[in-house]
Amino acid sequence: MTRYRGDTGARAASNEDTRRLIDASVRLAAEASRMFIPEPNIADRHYWLETMMNHIPDYIYAKDLEGRFLIANHATVSDCGFEKMQDILGKNDFDIHAPELAAHFAADERRVIETGEPLFGIEERVAVLKGPDRWLMTSKLPLRDKQGSTIGIVGVSRDITELKRSERMLVGQARLLEMIATRAPIEQFFTELILLIESQMPGISGSILTLSPDGKHLLHGAAPSQAPAYSAAIHGVAIGPKVGSCGTAAFTGEPVLVADILTDPLWEDYKAIAAPYSYRSCWSTPIRSYEGKVLGTFALYSAQPGLPSDEHNELILMAAHLAGIAIERQQAEERIHFMAHHDALTGLPNRLMFDAKVAAALQQAQGSGRWVALAFLDLDNFKLVNDSLGHHAGDEMLRIVADRMRACVRKSDMIVRVGGDEFIIMLNGLPTERDLVLSRFEKIRSAIAAPMMLSGRSLQVSCSMGVVCYPDHGDTAIDLVANADSAMYRAKEIGRNNLQLFNVEMAAKAHEKLLHQEELRDAIARQEFVLHYQPQVNLHTGRVFAAEALVRWQHPERGLVTPADFIPLAEETGLIVAIGDWVLNAACRQNKAWQDAGLPPIIVSVNVSARQFSEGDCVSRVAAALRDSGLEACYLELELTESLIMQDVPAAIATMHELEALGVQLAIDDFGTGYSSLSALKSFPVSRLKIDRSFVQDLPGDEDDRAITGAIISLAQKLNLRVIAEGVETQAQVDFLRAAGCTEIQGYFFSKPLPTTDFERVFSVCHASKLIAEVDAA
Ligand SMILES: Nc1nc2c(ncn2[C@@H]2O[C@H](COP(=O)(O)O[C@H]3[C@@H](O)[C@H](n4cnc5c(=O)[nH]c(N)nc54)O[C@@H]3COP(=O)(O)O)[C@@H](O)[C@H]2O)c(=O)[nH]1
């Protein structure tokens, strides 16, 4: 027997086993002492004692002061390699065991003899003659004669191998679950799992293989006790119906227990690989996900042919189950990581990942004499696709475009989606040749522009690109992206569907735009806006019945700035929401003030931009403006453009109904320029259509415009809607519109938009009927 102590050491005997062992040891010591006292019935006692000892499976023995066996029970005798007790009597441990082990036993026993103190519950791992190491719990006590003098020792050892195994199993399982919970590296988890199973099944080595993402190959997971060369030979093996134990188990999804590798047909093509390692049996079980998907295999190899016992099978299933949990957990984490760094729609990396990679690419390019080129790309008229074919078609288009771009770049390049239809492409390590760089991006543009099938139609989409090259056009990722963005805007400005390389003029323009933006922000803070009002006249009554509120910027240096010069920037930057809010409140206040001043009540009409309308609290802002000003809702009209409504028809209808419920009137502005379907129009809770100026300006001469305005007027009549023509400048236009049935008119013919006081004068002094009379007279 060989004994290892380092890993456990002596432990206080506190459990029930130890207590019983102590009691037995004390009784045995007393009995052994009595054996040396001549008693009349000693023979009987001797016989009883020997019989009792031989029936006990624990090792029981007594030794003299020189360590020679005085007595030993059957278990001790046979496990020390003898047949009967007489064979062991008089021998010491040095005669039986290896010198090192014998010396350990002798040292313990010497201590007991010298101190007179017993040693209780020593846990020791011992190598026995046959089979695997065993764990013993040993107690040694002084053997005393009648006078109380120590004449030797009595030893008792119990085999606690099974106990130790289940203890190890419990601790091991807890540790593995903790590893899953604390996200320990999966290879480390696999290794611990295999070592745990191997500790329960001596002579057996385990391996874990994982299924490749394409589900076709097995990849090395862990095999701590196998030769690395064998693991390497298995790594990457294609699964199939006759691919050893693991390849077959992964393929069929069923356990494959091969009792003899040398003869089993499943191993026919693989036994040569296993031969140098003397593997004879291999039992493999699929590792499955919670839903039953195969994730890999857990396999045990043995040098002996044979099949696993029930107990072994239980262990294998438990191991495969734990491995499944760990793999699923890891896959979930990988998915979360992927989602955090990628765009869900296209699968392209997102801005987070881009920032890190661009920084690395720029660093690598420093002093390399190569360029890193970035292109900011925006699809042309993508909104039209969304508006006309719906968001599903728009999404599909983005996916197709992403795939086409991906196919055009190398692995070291990168494409990210930074907004709805905006992408950034980074090409790495390019020669410093302007034409070559541009041709690479032009290739991507042509790939995008190829026809594609969407919702059963063949479509083509073009794109505008702005290109920058590092280090020529910026030092940092932020500067480069901003400059590429400016170049892209230039490409849009000059008609879309083209590519622009960044230059300094663009930078100046971008800078100027930034300054305007800041100025506009300050203007909002300082409330530098004023409203002008343009009268709307009813041709029947000749009355001014409404006024459109039109904003102007009272610039401290530039004077009165028209909305066309700042509304587009305000819309682009979102500042329109604050400006629109100011307009709404000011218009409501002014209308109430006119009413309070005794002027006949009129409707004030306010333009609402798309950003303003889609803000979550649009309805409550309108309600607040009415409440704060005290204006009755029926004197407020909101003008919504067709394109605004068509961006998201169901949401727009819902908001429009909420506004209608407040009592506010709704009108569709610029009618005829958008894409509203006539069927959708029925469901809009609007009371008025506003014919766009572009259809009025060439009336009555232009045949098409006559047809369009005529159609809009009769459509409005059929749908029971009022209709107003805007941009009316001439008598001929008035005459045509009146004849066509349009009775509401707005335009320079009657009045330009006027500052408040001028409007009041026109409205009160020069009443609309007078205006009409003048018109008729003219
Ligand atoms: N979201 C908001 N948009 C607003 C607001 N105020 C104005 N605007 C929009 O700005 C655009 C330009 O407006 P403006 O320069 O005020 O031009 C208006 C009228 O002056 C002009 N008009 C009216 N009659 C005539 C005409 O006979 N001839 C002619 N050439 N122009 C004329 O039309 C503009 C009004 O258009 P509309 O709103 O479509 O009725 C303009 O798009 C405004 O909408 C604001 O507060 N918020």
Side-chain angles (χ1 to χ4, degrees):
M1 287 195 280
T2 307
R3 185 177 70 159
Y4 310 95
R5 308 186 42 173
D7 49 353
T8 53
R11 194 175 75 176
S14 59
N15 60 24
E16 189 54 25
D17 275 351
T18 309
R19 175 67 32 222
R20 281 195 279 120
L21 205 57
I22 293 167
D23 292 347
S25 307
V26 170
R27 281 199 304 276
L28 186 67
E31 284 304 320
S33 300
R34 256 180 256 133
M35 277 171 49
F36 297 94
I37 303 158
E39 291 279 346
N41 54 355
I42 187 139
D44 285 347
R45 285 186 176 208
H46 195 274
Y47 174 74
W48 295 335
L49 189 56
E50 204 175 300
T51 309
M52 191 175 84
M53 287 195 336
N54 285 337
H55 277 91
I56 292 174
D58 301 340
Y59 302 136
I60 304 173
Y61 48 86
K63 292 177 184 171
D64 66 14
L65 291 173
E66 273 72 48
R68 288 184 295 255
F69 279 91
L70 295 169
I71 187 169
N73 72 343
H74 186 68
T76 313
V77 169
S78 71
D79 279 2
C80 284
F82 300 105
E83 275 183 16
K84 42 190 197 309
M85 187 168 48
Q86 275 65 30
D87 300 338
I88 201 170
L89 296 184
K91 295 204 165 57
N92 65 24
D93 286 322
F94 291 92
D95 300 325
I96 301 167
H97 303 299
E100 200 184 334
L101 176 63
H104 273 296
F105 288 155
D108 280 351
E109 288 160 12
R110 204 175 312 119
R111 188 140 64 93
V112 172
I113 290 164
E114 280 167 12
T115 62
E117 295 292 325
L119 283 178
F120 284 129
I122 310 163
E123 285 186 8
E124 28 189 25
R125 192 172 159 195
V126 172
V128 290
L129 285 178
K130 277 184 221 152
D133 293 357
R134 310 201 66 76
W135 278 95
L136 299 180
M137 181 182 275
T138 300
S139 295
K140 288 182 177 172
L141 310 102
L143 175 66
R144 294 201 171 92
D145 63 11
K146 223 174 171 184
Q147 287 72 40
S149 308
T150 302
I151 55 166
I153 63 104
V154 174
V156 184
S157 296
R158 167 158 292 182
D159 187 335
I160 55 164
T161 308
E162 283 313 312
L163 188 74
K164 288 298 276 183
R165 242 181 229 158
S166 39
E167 239 178 55
R168 162 92 170 90
M169 194 66 191
L170 282 175
V171 172
Q173 280 175 317
R175 161 96 185 114
L176 288 167
L177 291 174
E178 187 187 314
M179 287 177 87
I180 293 174
T182 55
R183 301 192 188 102
I186 192 117
E187 298 75 20
Q188 202 179 318
F189 173 86
F190 286 162
T191 301
E192 289 241 358
L193 174 60
I194 293 169
L195 290 176
L196 176 65
I197 300 300
E198 287 175 354
S199 75
Q200 306 296 306
M201 300 168 73
I204 291 230
S205 67
S207 89
I208 290 176
L209 299 170
T210 57
L211 201 60
S212 60
D214 65 3
K216 292 183 179 158
H217 298 87
L218 284 174
L219 308 175
H220 174 71
S225 310
Q226 289 187 342
Y230 181 71
S231 301
I234 296 295
H235 178 73
V237 69
I239 65 171
K242 206 188 141 200
V243 183
S245 302
C246 296
T248 312
F251 183 78
T252 59
E254 297 296 330
V256 174
L257 310 177
V258 169
D260 194 349
I261 287 171
L262 296 184
T263 56
D264 196 297
L266 292 180
W267 276 83
E268 196 180 336
D269 302 333
Y270 296 91
K271 62 184 171 201
I273 300 175
Y277 310 97
S278 311
Y279 296 136
R280 282 297 296 274
S281 52
C282 178
W283 316 316
S284 183
T285 294
I287 298 170
R288 292 178 177 282
S289 69
Y290 184 70
E291 276 95 21
K293 204 176 118 207
V294 174
L295 304 170
T297 56
F298 178 84
L300 293 177
Y301 290 75
S302 166
Q304 307 304 320
L307 289 170
S309 64
D310 288 349
E311 198 188 330
H312 289 165
N313 272 329
E314 258 177 51
L315 283 174
I316 294 168
L317 288 178
M318 184 274 288
H321 181 64
L322 283 178
I325 295 173
I327 295 173
E328 269 202 304
R329 169 90 197 223
Q330 195 211 20
Q331 287 180 347
E333 267 171 30
E334 281 169 1
R335 261 199 307 279
I336 290 167
H337 185 267
F338 183 87
M339 280 157 70
H341 293 84
H342 290 79
D343 164 41
L345 182 73
T346 58
L348 290 172
N350 63 16
R351 193 64 194 253
L352 203 70
M353 192 157 164
F354 175 78
D355 288 345
K357 285 224 172 175
V358 170
L362 298 188
Q363 203 173 18
Q364 210 177 11
Q366 258 170 24
S368 70
R370 315 282 288 179
W371 273 348
V372 174
L374 292 186
F376 204 108
L377 180 156
D378 185 283
L379 298 181
D380 298 328
N381 300 317
F382 175 70
K383 215 167 92 47
L384 269 183
V385 177
N386 261 344
D387 292 351
S388 52
L389 299 180
H391 286 271
H392 282 306
D395 287 354
E396 185 55 18
M397 175 176 273
L398 292 172
R399 272 191 287 266
I400 294 172
V401 166
D403 287 345
R404 288 179 177 183
M405 288 194 282
R406 236 190 309 247
C408 294
V409 301
R410 298 162 304 175
K411 265 213 161 116
S412 56
D413 300 329
M414 191 176 201
I415 304 166
V416 294
R417 179 164 168 241
V418 285
D421 60 341
E422 290 177 342
F423 300 85
I424 299 178
I425 305 166
M426 175 183 79
L427 302 183
N428 254 317
L430 295 171
T432 54
E433 288 169 42
R434 180 181 174 281
D435 290 346
L436 186 134
V437 172
L438 296 186
S439 76
R440 289 281 304 274
F441 285 118
E442 280 296 4
K443 248 189 211 154
I444 298 176
R445 284 194 352 97
S446 332
I448 292 172
M452 63 176 82
M453 287 301 287
L454 270 190
S455 305
R457 303 168 197 216
S458 173
L459 285 180
Q460 277 180 276
V461 65
S462 63
C463 68
S464 305
M465 262 190 198
V467 175
V468 288
C469 296
Y470 172 83
D472 291 23
H473 299 140
D475 294 333
T476 64
I478 294 175
D479 287 350
L480 289 165
V481 170
N483 290 341
D485 192 26
S486 308
M488 193 275 291
Y489 266 93
R490 180 70 194 134
K492 290 269 181 205
E493 253 174 26
I494 60 172
R496 303 186 163 119
N497 191 16
N498 72 97
L499 173 157
Q500 291 294 309
L501 184 65
F502 175 77
N503 60 38
V504 273
E505 288 83 56
M506 289 174 190
K509 264 194 136 182
H511 184 66
E512 199 184 335
K513 191 171 156 192
L514 206 69
L515 290 181
H516 280 157
Q517 194 175 317
E518 284 314 301
E519 241 188 344
L520 197 54
R521 218 181 282 281
D522 290 346
I524 295 170
R526 293 197 215 107
Q527 302 216 339
E528 288 175 357
F529 300 102
V530 289
L531 285 184
H532 284 191
Y533 295 91
Q534 188 173 33
Q536 295 178 352
V537 178
N538 184 304
L539 290 176
H540 281 321
T541 62
R543 286 178 164 274
V544 172
F545 67 94
E548 181 176 2
L550 294 156
V551 71
R552 273 94 182 94
W553 179 3
Q554 189 66 63
H555 195 281
E557 286 130 34
R558 283 191 271 151
L560 206 61
V561 181
T562 68
D565 286 346
F566 65 90
I567 292 281
L569 181 64
E571 275 176 345
E572 193 186 318
T573 53
L575 294 173
I576 190 68
V577 177
I579 296 173
D581 222 26
W582 180 88
V583 171
L584 178 69
N585 282 282
C588 288
R589 269 197 312 271
Q590 184 57 67
N591 201 13
K592 180 71 168 88
W594 285 327
Q595 290 178 8
D596 291 347
L599 290 171
I602 57 165
I603 293 167
V604 69
S605 204
V606 172
N607 288 285
V608 176
S609 78
R611 294 275 285 255
Q612 229 180 318
F613 187 70
S614 55
E615 290 276 306
D617 56 353
C618 166
V619 179
S620 53
R621 279 163 186 261
V622 173
L626 291 169
R627 196 179 49 240
D628 294 350
S629 62
L631 182 72
E632 273 183 69
C634 62
Y635 294 116
L636 173 67
E637 181 185 64
L638 300 177
E639 290 189 14
L640 315 171
T641 59
E642 250 187 308
S643 51
L644 171 158
I645 298 168
M646 294 311 290
Q647 276 178 17
D648 185 349
V649 173
I653 292 178
T655 309
M656 284 156 85
H657 276 300
E658 285 184 61
L659 290 167
E660 188 193 31
L662 288 180
V664 169
Q665 316 224 25
L666 298 173
I668 301 186
D669 198 5
D670 305 339
F671 190 78
T673 57
Y675 302 89
S676 51
S677 73
L678 297 182
S679 61
L681 190 61
K682 265 195 328 192
S683 49
F684 299 161
V686 294
S687 51
R688 218 163 47 141
L689 302 182
K690 209 168 178 188
I691 305 173
D692 189 62
R693 203 166 62 217
S694 59
F695 302 122
V696 175
Q697 67 189 7
D698 293 330
L699 286 178
D702 188 283
E703 199 183 322
D704 291 343
D705 288 342
R706 280 204 310 274
I708 293 169
T709 46
I712 296 174
I713 293 163
S714 79
L715 175 74
Q717 286 167 345
K718 296 228 164 68
L719 290 175
N720 243 344
L721 300 174
R722 283 159 48 215
V723 62
I724 183 167
E726 67 174 339
V728 179
E729 294 185 354
T730 66
Q731 178 67 55
Q733 288 167 347
V734 172
D735 293 342
F736 173 83
L737 290 162
R738 195 202 304 260
C742 175
T743 52
E744 297 180 2
I745 305 286
Q746 177 183 345
Y748 292 174
F749 183 72
F750 297 105
S751 170
K752 288 198 166 185
L754 300 168
T756 313
T757 44
D758 294 351
F759 178 82
E760 284 167 7
R761 197 167 39 77
V762 169
F763 183 36
S764 54
V765 179
C766 184
H767 198 264
S769 57
K770 191 167 163 260
L771 277 170
I772 294 295
E774 280 168 15
V775 167
D776 286 342

